[in-house]
Every structure is written in structure tokens, then in C-alpha cells.
Amino acid sequence: MDKVLSVSLGEIALKGLNRKYFEDQLIKHIRRAIKDIGFEKIYKEQGKIYIQAEEQFFPQMINRLRKVFGLVYISPCIKVEKDVDEIENAVLEAVKEKIEAEKIKTFKVDTNRADKNFPIKSPDFSRQMGGVILKAFNELSVDVHTPDTLVYIDIKQNAYIYTDKIKGHGGMPIGTNGKGLLLLSGGIDSPVAGFLMAKRGVEISAVHYHSYPFTSERAEEKVKDLARILSRYTGKITMYSVNILEIQKEINAKCPEKEMTILSRRFMMRIAERIAEKQNINALITGESLGQVASQTIEGISVTNAAVKLPILRPLVGLDKVDIIEIAKDIETFETSTLPFEDCCTVFLPKHPVTKPRIEDIEKSEEVLDVEYLIENAIENMKVTTIE
Ligand code: ATP
Ligand code: MG
């Protein structure tokens, strides 16, 4: 009786012709996630991916696998040959282990016969194995509606018997939906935005703007810590750190005070777009959420968009703050995000920021700035780090 981990693919199972590509991407990420733990083999068998490894490593592997996108369930399984006696032994073993782990009283058997050459039909086989369980464990009874545990039997090339389905995040394997450059601040929202787009299969890089020495090195470290937490899900992240103090000083000296926020935001987008173009990245990602702060109005968004051609993805746009916080806690960025360090945006915060900017006014204000020089200068001095 071998023990293996099975991995169910959700949405990607629906992808018809692309299926093989998605599966191979997922296998690549599974391999990356567990390579330092050590496994014998990863293989596909009729719609699922299986990992052969020493059982003692399973808990640690499951923890890592839960963070791999594209994966819906993970199950520790007993693998046997497609032989009725062998399956019977495996079923008894699985139920025995389940009873030792939890106080179960009722069960239901669920057979899935992918190999139609197996001579017994699924419902009949479930009934037959149910009988075997009842005979071996006096304390158990069948409950087809709300059983304490299900006993799954997948009959394929081999037979797999398991009782647990541990939930993964779902989504799609990273890299199957292009690349995005995340504007990563030290706040609560942008790490969540990066997580959500990564979950949709987007490969993430990050850009952070700071105003050193007006903002501290500790603030910079905090953002790197956030990127590090994100990288548990995304794999390695290339992070660009850009000092925009000169730009902020220029705006502060030459433009209306109330436009400071929207003007800096347009510079952030332009610099991000410039970096994205050089790296063949197809979209920008922000943590903006409509109405959350003064600058996040429809007018603000449209004036921000007008500064660049690349699409700006805003996965949080319709979420409430409480929902965003819940995700931040779940992905473990919340605690770091709420550490009290200054952000570059607060350095020259206007008292009354314009909430409904008009593109004509903003473009007029920018006429006095050497936009091209400011962008190139900032990019020339940026630092690039790889976060793992
Ligand atoms: P967050 O919680 O992500 O900081 P926020 O609620 O503070 O967002 P804003 O300050 O309006 O909202 O920022 C909106 C978005 O702009 C952020 O989610 C982020 O994507 C981007 N952004 C803001 N400041 C920075 C920065 N210093 N570096 C990189 N991106 C930034
Ligand atoms: Mg912020």
C-alpha cells in the first residue's frame, strides 16, 4: 500500500485544448513549492496530479501546496492496484486512520470509476465497500445525507482511497495569464490586489515608490517584507524601488497644492508603464478601491488612466474595506501592512486634495514640469531586488 498526495485541478480542468498546458504549468509550480522537501515522483493520472513522497513529509507539503494557485483540493491517498481485495484492505486502513484521527460515527462511500473496464459499477461498488466497513467497525453506521466522513474511491489506472479533501486557493497557475506590475505600497490594499491577480494566473513583479530620506529605510524594509509574504504564493518577485522625492519636490514647488496627490499618482503610473514596457509586462495592478480615499473617485481614476496606455487592473475596486482586511489576514500580510511606517504619499499630503480632477486642468498643471526628464531620472536611479 503506497501513500501519495493527490491534487485536484478546478477551473483548469475545463480548459479543453489548453488543458495540457495548464497542467504542466501547475506541475512546474508544485515542483517549485516542494523541491526542498524532497519527493520521488510527480505524475498525472486521468485528471489529477499525484505526488509520490515519504508520508512523514505530507503535512509540510500540504502546507506549501495550499499556496499554489490552480489547485482546488489536496488529499492524502492510499494507492493500490485495481484489485477488489487490495481496494478492500485500503478502504479498511483509510477508515481506521480516520477513526484514530477523529471521532466519526457515520460514513458514506463515494466511488468514481474513471476506468469503465473495471467490472463493478460505482454505486454497486460503494454499497459493497460500505458493507465491508460496517462489518469491520461495529461503531460505524451509514449516513448518505450528512456523514461524518466520506470514503472516496477513485478507480483509474490504479485505485486511490482517501477520506480528506483539503482546500487550496483555486484560481489558475501563475504565468497562464500574462504578467502584471504591481504598484506595491506599504498599505493593506496593494498586497491583497497582487494576491488576487496572481490567483488569476498573472505573474507578478512589483514597483515601490519612496521619498528617501524623507521616508525611512525601515519603511522600505516593510514593503520588502510584504513582497516576501506575497512570494510564498507567487514564487520569486522582481521588485523595483524608485525614489520620487525629486518629482514630489518639483510638483510641490510648481503646481497647485491640491493637485499633489493626483499629479504624483500620474507619475507613478508613467514610471510603472516605462518599467513594464522594458520587461514585456502587459498590465499594471493597483490596490485602489472606489471611494475609499479622496483620490479614489471615478474622476480620479480616469485622470490617472489617461497618463498611460497600459491597462490598469484594480481587483479591489468593488470591495469593502472589511472584506479586503479579511483577505489580508488570510494571506498573512495584514500584520506587516499595519506596522506604522510612513509612505511617500504622505510626505507632501495636501490639506484639501482635489477629488474631481479634470484632465484639462491636470494637463495644464503638468506643462510647467519636465515630465520626460523626471521619469527618466527616477528610473535611472531605481534599485532592483529579487525577493524570494
Ligand atoms: P494601499 O493600502 O495599497 O496603500 P491606499 O488605500 O493607501 O492603498 P492610495 O494611497 O490611494 O490608497 O493608493 C492607491 C494605490 O496606489 C495603492 O493600492 C498602490 O497600488 C498604489 N500606491 C500608492 N502609494 C504607492 C507607493 N508608495 N508605491 C507604490 N504604489 C503605491
Ligand atoms: Mg497607502
Side-chain angles (χ1 to χ4, degrees):
M1 265 191 253
D2 279 340
K3 296 275 177 85
V4 297
L5 287 176
S6 78
V7 167
S8 325
L9 344 172
E11 202 165 336
I12 71 173
L14 306 172
K15 292 273 165 183
L17 282 178
N18 281 336
R19 178 177 176 120
K20 187 181 170 332
Y21 169 68
F22 284 97
E23 281 178 349
D24 290 346
Q25 288 296 312
L26 183 57
I27 288 175
K28 189 179 89 185
H29 293 297
I30 289 175
R31 223 176 262 284
R32 166 182 62 73
I34 61 173
K35 66 168 184 265
D36 63 312
I37 303 176
F39 55 88
E40 283 145 46
K41 180 161 93 165
I42 299 181
Y43 62 96
K44 296 191 253 186
E45 193 174 311
Q46 287 162 294
K48 284 190 189 177
I49 293 167
Y50 293 89
I51 302 163
Q52 211 158 297
E54 277 182 50
E55 195 182 356
Q56 53 164 332
F57 298 137
F58 281 8
Q60 200 189 352
M61 281 189 178
I62 290 168
N63 247 335
R64 300 272 186 87
L65 292 172
R66 289 193 57 222
K67 298 191 169 76
V68 174
F69 296 130
L71 172 170
V72 177
Y73 289 112
I74 309 153
S75 299
C77 309
I78 301 175
K79 175 189 180 188
V80 291
E81 288 189 11
K82 244 177 328 197
D83 166 89
V84 176
D85 288 339
E86 287 217 24
I87 296 175
E88 198 175 302
N89 286 336
V91 164
L92 293 175
E93 174 65 23
V95 173
K96 189 178 127 233
E97 283 178 16
K98 186 72 178 170
I99 292 174
E100 282 164 5
E102 291 165 44
K103 290 261 156 293
I104 58 156
K105 291 261 172 274
T106 60
F107 72 95
K108 175 188 169 182
V109 181
D110 184 352
T111 305
N112 190 336
R113 189 179 56 134
D115 175 10
K116 301 296 177 203
N117 291 324
F118 188 73
I120 309 166
K121 285 189 177 153
S122 298
D124 296 340
F125 197 63
S126 291
R127 216 167 298 124
Q128 186 177 329
M129 289 299 119
V132 169
I133 295 170
L134 287 173
K135 211 166 137 207
F137 302 96
N138 285 327
E139 68 270 39
L140 293 184
S141 60
V142 174
D143 181 344
V144 292
H145 300 296
T146 51
D148 295 337
T149 191
L150 275 145
V151 180
Y152 299 97
I153 306 173
D154 289 356
I155 299 174
K156 308 174 158 184
Q157 221 157 301
N158 296 281
Y160 297 90
I161 293 86
Y162 53 99
T163 56
D164 293 324
K165 282 183 167 185
I166 300 153
K167 246 182 134 119
H169 279 290
M172 305 173 84
I174 302 257
T176 57
N177 263 327
K179 297 183 190 176
L181 180 60
L182 171 67
L183 281 78
L184 182 62
S185 70
I188 296 169
D189 302 331
S190 41
V192 173
F195 170 83
L196 290 177
M197 291 325 301
K199 187 175 154 184
R200 295 309 303 163
V202 178
E203 186 183 322
I204 301 289
S205 307
V207 55
H208 174 65
Y209 302 102
H210 62 88
S211 316
Y212 187 79
F214 279 46
T215 55
S216 65
E217 274 176 38
R218 293 286 302 280
E220 185 70 11
E221 271 312 304
K222 169 183 165 178
V223 178
K224 285 195 181 142
D225 286 342
L226 286 172
R228 212 164 285 130
I229 299 171
L230 263 188
S231 74
R232 293 177 196 159
Y233 302 91
T234 62
K236 81 170 188 275
I237 294 179
T238 305
M239 188 165 136
Y240 305 90
S241 303
V242 184
N243 191 329
I244 56 165
L245 183 57
E246 283 314 311
I247 296 175
Q248 290 179 307
K249 280 184 178 165
E250 274 287 293
I251 298 173
N252 192 49
K254 296 181 177 166
C255 303
E257 191 215 1
K258 63 180 181 172
E259 292 174 1
M260 182 73 207
T261 309
I262 186 76
L263 289 170
S264 347
R265 187 57 48 86
R266 276 163 65 87
F267 271 96
M268 287 186 189
M269 293 302 165
R270 289 185 179 112
I271 294 169
E273 181 176 61
R274 210 57 72 88
I275 297 169
E277 275 166 357
K278 282 189 194 139
Q279 305 297 328
N280 285 319
I281 294 172
N282 332 89
L284 306 180
I285 302 165
T286 75
E288 289 163 291
S289 161
L290 200 59
Q292 201 188 93
V293 298
S295 60
Q296 294 175 4
T297 57
I298 299 268
E299 292 83 355
I301 285 177
S302 82
V303 170
T304 306
N305 281 358
V308 291
K309 291 204 185 71
L310 273 189
I312 302 171
L313 307 178
R314 298 177 170 91
L316 309 186
V317 75
L319 296 190
D320 290 351
K321 193 75 185 187
V322 286
D323 300 326
I324 298 169
I325 289 175
E326 198 174 309
I327 302 174
K329 286 184 175 162
D330 185 44
I331 65 172
E332 296 173 330
T333 52
F334 183 75
E335 221 177 289
T336 306
S337 287
T338 45
L339 293 173
F341 290 114
E342 66 289 345
D343 183 32
C344 72
C345 304
T346 56
V347 173
F348 296 96
L349 204 61
K351 272 191 221 74
H352 302 287
V354 52
T355 55
K356 297 191 172 184
R358 298 190 329 147
I359 187 72
E360 305 82 42
D361 301 339
I362 298 300
E363 283 176 349
K364 186 118 201 27
S365 304
E366 281 175 352
E367 276 172 16
V368 298
L369 304 172
D370 189 344
V371 173
E372 188 52 34
Y373 166 78
L374 289 170
I375 294 174
E376 278 307 316
N377 191 45
I379 288 187
E380 220 158 86
N381 294 308
M382 83 182 170
K383 291 205 179 72
V384 186
T385 26
T386 303
I387 310 270
E388 297 199 60

